[in-house]
Amino acid sequence: LVAMAIDASTGKTIWEREVRSVDSIPSIHTKNSHASPTPIVAEGSVFVHFGTLGTARLSCEDGEIQWLCTELIYPPMHGSGGSPVLHDGRLAIVCDGSKDPFVVALDAETGNIAWKTLRGVPARISHSFVTPSIAMVDGKRLVLAPGPEHFAAYDLADGSEVFRVLAPGWSVVPQPIVFEDLVIYNHDYDNPELMAVRLGGNGDVTGSHIAWRRDRSAPSTPTPVLVDGLLSLIHISEPTRLRRIS
């Protein structure tokens, strides 16, 4: 498991660092790799994530390893895909494996687990590959994390589940998009549907907070792009104007 820094102008390698060597690796999809998650660069450091194989913080200057966490143990399905999100000194990571899926936050300074929360909804198929998003809702920083059979929002401070929306689905990939007071996300792979949910509330808000839902041309893998109130999806020819449905 290797991290590299490459000069953007010349393509020359500045440094190359072996983060960890492992004796055995889980099986992965032929389209995947063990280094699919995107690195994060912040304050002179780079954070790299190899799913259950390890997460590390390195110096941007020379690749020196500042910490290595190997405690996120779970059985991945097809390998790992979701990337960490850094906010308020914590790395939020979704670990939806083939069983006992969970969401976790690592302390960015130490690499220690700040909290770990098991998914609260039983699922027939429990794996997903989502990258979470962060939003300020009612004075709290929330980790917005779609997953198997539901969408859940967790308090970034302590990992407690604040609210959830129940919707069938699995193998979720696209990152949630925040638009005004809505979170827009995909909740399935075989039969993808795009949903918009009003941020806020407590507990199960399925019956009260769904603003709209769309199954035609919904993405199964790519994340939509939001520009000036237009949500562009890779599967449709024209952008969709966001419209509130009361």
Side-chain angles (χ1 to χ4, degrees):
L1 307 176
V2 173
M4 299 175 65
I6 298 173
D7 189 298
S9 299
T10 66
K12 293 181 179 180
T13 299
I14 300 172
W15 53 257
E16 180 173 337
R17 177 74 62 176
E18 181 180 285
V19 178
R20 188 186 181 200
S21 178
V22 293
D23 295 328
S24 61
I25 54 176
S27 61
I28 60 174
H29 196 282
T30 55
K31 297 179 181 179
N32 203 2
S33 82
H34 294 289
S36 291
T38 303
I40 298 172
V41 177
E43 299 179 354
S45 295
V46 56
F47 299 87
V48 293
H49 179 58
F50 300 95
T52 189
L53 298 178
T55 308
R57 177 174 178 167
L58 285 66
S59 166
C60 282
E61 182 178 1
D62 56 10
E64 179 183 0
I65 299 174
Q66 298 171 343
W67 55 252
L68 172 64
C69 174
T70 58
E71 299 180 56
L72 306 185
I73 306 300
Y74 61 95
M77 178 63 72
H78 306 313
S80 300
S83 304
V85 171
L86 176 63
H87 206 95
D88 288 349
R90 290 188 170 175
L91 288 169
I93 306 171
V94 174
C95 302
D96 288 338
S98 60
K99 64 178 182 179
D100 301 327
F102 62 92
V103 179
V104 67
L106 300 183
D107 185 294
E109 288 296 325
T110 65
N112 295 330
I113 294 177
W115 53 260
K116 174 182 174 181
T117 303
L118 292 174
R119 291 291 202 174
V121 175
R124 180 179 63 88
I125 301 176
S126 64
H127 65 268
S128 72
F129 309 92
V130 75
T131 297
S133 294
I134 307 293
M136 176 68 80
V137 182
D138 297 331
K140 295 181 178 180
R141 295 285 184 192
L142 300 187
V143 180
L144 308 177
E149 307 292 341
H150 74 300
F151 167 94
Y154 305 89
D155 191 329
L156 181 60
D158 60 15
S160 58
E161 184 185 280
V162 178
F163 67 86
R164 70 171 65 162
V165 174
L166 302 179
W170 60 283
S171 197
V172 182
V173 179
Q175 185 176 19
I177 300 294
V178 177
F179 172 70
E180 296 180 351
D181 64 339
L182 298 175
V183 56
I184 302 165
Y185 68 96
N186 161 284
H187 71 77
D188 196 4
Y189 184 83
D190 281 342
N191 300 288
E193 182 179 34
L194 199 64
M195 292 181 61
V197 172
R198 296 183 183 91
L199 293 167
N202 289 279
D204 186 348
V205 298
T206 308
S208 58
H209 280 58
I210 295 177
W212 55 261
R213 55 201 312 170
R214 174 193 178 101
D215 58 6
R216 182 174 178 269
S217 300
S220 59
T221 301
T223 297
V225 176
L226 178 65
V227 180
D228 297 332
L230 294 175
L231 193 68
S232 295
L233 312 178
I234 196 68
H235 293 303
I236 62 176
S237 58
E238 297 180 358
T240 298
R241 174 72 65 179
L242 296 188
R243 178 169 59 91
R244 182 64 51 80
I245 299 176
S246 60

